[in-house]
Amino acid sequence: MRSPQERNTRLENMTWRIWNLARKKKEGEDAGDPSVAYGDSTTGSSPKTSSIDKLYIVLISLHGLVRGENMELGRDSDTGGQVKYVVELAKALSSSPGVYRVDLLTRQILAPNFDRSYGEPTEMLVSTSFKNSKQEKGENSGAYIIRIPFGPKDKYLAKEHLWPFIQEFVDGALGHIVRMSKTIGEEIGCGHPVWPAVIHGHYASAGIAAALLSGSLNIPMAFTGHFLGKDKLEGLLKQGRHSREQINMTYKIMCRIEAEELSLDASEIVIASTRQEIEEQWNLYDGFEVILARKLRARVKRGANCYGRYMPRMVIIPPGVEFGHIIHDFDMDGEEENPCPASEDPPIWSQIMRFFTNPRKPMILAVARPYPEKNITSLVKAFGECRPLRELANLTLIMGNREAISKMNNMSAAVLTSVLTLIDEYDLYGQVAYPKRHKHSEVPDIYRLAARTKGAFVNVAYFEQFGVTLIEAAMNGLPIIATKNGAPVEINQVLNNGLLVDPHDQNAIADALYKLLSDKQLWSRCRENGLKNIHQFSWPEHCKNYLSRILTLGPRSPAIGGKQEQKAPISGRKHIIIRSLLVSAGMLPTVFDALICNSGSNIYYPLYSGDMPSSSQVTPAIDQNHQAHIEYRWGGEGLRKYLVKWATSVVERKGRIERQIIFEDPEHSSTYCLAFRVVNPNHLPPLKELRKLMRIQSLRCNPLYNHSATRLSVVPIHASRSQALRYLCIRWGIELPNVAVLVGESGDSDYEELLGGLHRTVILKGEFNIPANRIHTVRRYPLQDVVALDSSNIIGIEGYSTDDMKSALQQIAVEAAAAMAGDRLHQRGSSEQKTRRSWQLAGRCIAGEHAGVRAWPTCQYYVS
């Protein structure tokens, strides 16, 4: 009976209501999927792993003792859950459809008192067999541990002392990846190298290594933080035992935090285990902010301009566990169906039971390294001070392996000493077990023992990043009591197999344990829930989610070879030279084969117009392939506008007068280098403040001060002089150990990057060096924290004469280069004044804006 106009109006309203309901439903789905909320929109639309084949994946984990079998978990503070996780991840990925090879790169250890297996260059891992998986395994080369030598050959290093040798690892890993990519291409017959689909760094040190490798090879990077530095720093400061300076001296925490920030800059995806890790830990970092991440994601989906801002995708993938040891001998009521006779009990059972006066009582089990953050002493206090709990249960502490407490590192020794003191103080003899040794293969048996006694697993760490032990306990039918800080919150939401407690509240720990062990119905319900839901943490599920994300990464690979090669026929040349200040040094452009310019953001090759280089006009040709390597996440015009606006805020104040000191320098700028001139370096803000500002704005770039702090250059995150050198070495097949790098005593703010690596370094000491200025004194961390100045690859010499240079090169076993260096110097002028001027300028070049390479006829190379 209504008019057509009214019907149309009602239809239009109904249409808008339906659209609005659909929109709200979509928003609700996105809110329910935490990965989508942080920029990962692949859920539900990911390519199927079965649709791909021949993936090569590189994982990096540098610290600890890494091997495939008989892992010495708990031997030291660096050999724990992360080591187990990365080895099992490599095995599981290699068993997944579409994956051809997985390499886990770590450090080669040849130190005495360590098993020889840690010194083997290659170890093949036994792939995981997924018994209940319907996926079929295709052609596969397997999973391997590749041990790269870096750092002192005869010394095992804790993770805090690996920083000075990271670039050495990168150079070694670079050679392996290039060789292996070519080998895989030959094996599968594709006719070209098969580059890694992703380079995945685990922990901060591996993150910075992965970032450098990603930039050198133009390959996507993924990152897993494991235990983040800012969270650790805040926790240590709250304890009030040490100052920030003392913490940094012990843990090298500022190196760690900067490496994590750089990993955020370079990563395409960051893998977290929980929502809490993203919102409460990563949100502490300059380079990530939850709200901004959501806004940028919304703009990308709408196709709107982000003005040069980028944010890595945060992906939540719970950790996986091996189900090979999942229990089969208990029914759902908790009773053992086919109990084994005592003679068949695992040996580790008797080693634990011998501690107890009454071994039939329920066992409270803790498996953790003796480290302060694991909070073992609070657990012992909670047990010791609650008499009903002591009468009800026994306590078993599996605290790694040890020979003697006196031989352990100070922190672990202090924790163990405290535990033994508390056992004595509360007179817990006969109630607490603390065996000295166990094998990694015996850990499932320990869980089974606790389950057989109807006990509980407890993890009351101040913060738990992954919580793999909680999943392992559930897999073996053991209910849990866990910290409410970190991954256990979301693990328990899925498994619903225990109780969460405040790790700082000893009474709460004791009450929760007593409640779980005394209420048999609660215990059975938690056990049943854990076994029913554990499949959600399987390795097949983890790998499926992992690979679906990897397949969404942008197609990036090394842009080497092709048409650009004809512009620099290295095979037909005896020399490669790269140096700045050509005119003032009296050098002709015709002697150069390549030029690295603009803080490593440009590489030029000279093209000659005539037959003879000496009589030809030189036209520089830019290396477009190199630009493809460095353009990743470059902010372009959006970045330039923001920097111009920032420059107006940097002023020098004299009374009421303010004078701007940083100005845009279009003349010296290029597509990938934004240059600014500085009129008063004494009032420059520290570089760390500028980097922080850029990261807060999600502008991913590499700012540096150069030319004696009279210029600011801002280049892409993967652009630098050291990275340009790696690019040339890959392109021309140069072996980095055959390169000699000459540097001054000081230089640009990225000076440290030219010191580390497999190349040999000569530090020229003398009056030609630039005096140390503010860009060297205001650092985020001391130079010695990231550079091994006592390395055998680095020598220092006084002077700059021909003989000085020749002697230095002879010391680093580059005699042929030394002879050629002497010839070249004499050709440019025999007078001492001209030689001095030449090396004075070369020293400025070495320590300042540009760098260079010379290839000698004997395949040795010289870099200035």
Side-chain angles (χ1 to χ4, degrees), residues 261-279:
E261 292 280 13
L262 181 60
S263 298
L264 281 174
D265 289 338
S267 295
E268 291 204 26
I269 59 173
V270 175
I271 296 177
S273 57
T274 64
R275 182 193 295 264
Q276 188 274 348
E277 180 183 345
I278 297 173
E279 295 185 346

Side-chain angles (χ1 to χ4, degrees), residues 281-389:
Q281 294 184 65
W282 278 119
N283 212 40
L284 297 172
Y285 285 76
D286 302 329
F288 181 78
E289 204 273 324
V290 171
I291 296 176
L292 182 57
R294 290 171 178 162
K295 289 181 177 179
L296 289 176
R297 171 180 169 264
R299 294 186 69 86
V300 170
K301 290 186 69 175
R302 295 199 310 268
N305 191 346
C306 291
Y307 302 101
R309 288 166 168 80
Y310 298 91
M311 192 73 74
R313 285 177 9 213
M314 289 284 173
V315 178
I316 298 176
I317 306 179
V321 295
E322 285 190 17
F323 283 6
H325 301 288
I326 193 166
I327 67 163
H328 299 289
D329 54 350
F330 287 87
D331 62 22
M332 296 308 290
D333 294 324
E335 298 298 330
E336 194 168 8
E337 293 179 347
N338 298 303
C340 298
S343 59
E344 295 184 16
D345 287 346
I348 190 66
W349 287 15
S350 60
Q351 294 177 31
I352 294 173
M353 291 300 196
R354 64 187 175 90
F355 283 88
F356 299 134
T357 303
N358 183 359
R360 294 183 176 274
K361 292 197 294 185
M363 179 193 295
I364 300 168
L365 173 64
V367 179
R369 291 170 292 145
Y371 222 49
E373 59 261 29
K374 297 302 181 181
N375 200 26
I376 298 174
T377 53
S378 292
L379 173 61
V380 178
K381 289 178 182 178
F383 182 76
E385 293 178 6
C386 182
R387 182 158 294 279
L389 183 61

Side-chain angles (χ1 to χ4, degrees), residues 502 521 582 641 739 799:
D502 181 352
Q521 289 185 343
L582 307 183
K641 288 182 178 179
V739 173

Side-chain angles (χ1 to χ4, degrees), residues 323 326 471 474-475 495 530-538:
F323 283 6
I326 193 166
I471 300 171
M475 182 177 70
L495 297 180
L531 291 172
K532 181 175 63 177
N533 298 317
I534 192 64
H535 69 277
Q536 299 186 53
F537 293 97
S538 68

Side-chain angles (χ1 to χ4, degrees), residues 51-71:
S51 65
I52 51 94
D53 198 10
K54 308 295 191 294
L55 286 183
Y56 174 32
I57 295 174
V58 173
L59 310 176
I60 304 175
S61 183
L62 299 182
H63 62 262
L65 300 168
V66 182
R67 66 182 180 189
E69 303 297 330
N70 300 319
M71 287 182 274

Side-chain angles (χ1 to χ4, degrees), residues 164 167-168 171 726 752-759 761 787 794:
Q167 300 230 27
E168 202 174 314
D171 291 344
R726 289 189 176 104
E752 65 204 43
E753 296 180 13
L754 292 174
L755 299 181
L758 289 180
H759 59 258
T761 302
V787 176
I794 301 176

Side-chain angles (χ1 to χ4, degrees), residues 167 197 199 223 330 358 379 405 432 498 524 673 691 705 749 796:
Q167 300 230 27
I199 297 177
F223 181 63
F330 287 87
N358 183 359
L379 173 61
I405 294 178
V432 179
S524 296
C673 178
R691 283 184 176 147
Y705 293 134
S749 55

Side-chain angles (χ1 to χ4, degrees), residues 512-523:
L513 284 167
Y514 186 82
K515 178 180 179 180
L516 179 60
L517 297 178
S518 61
D519 187 338
K520 297 305 180 182
Q521 289 185 343
L522 173 63
W523 186 91

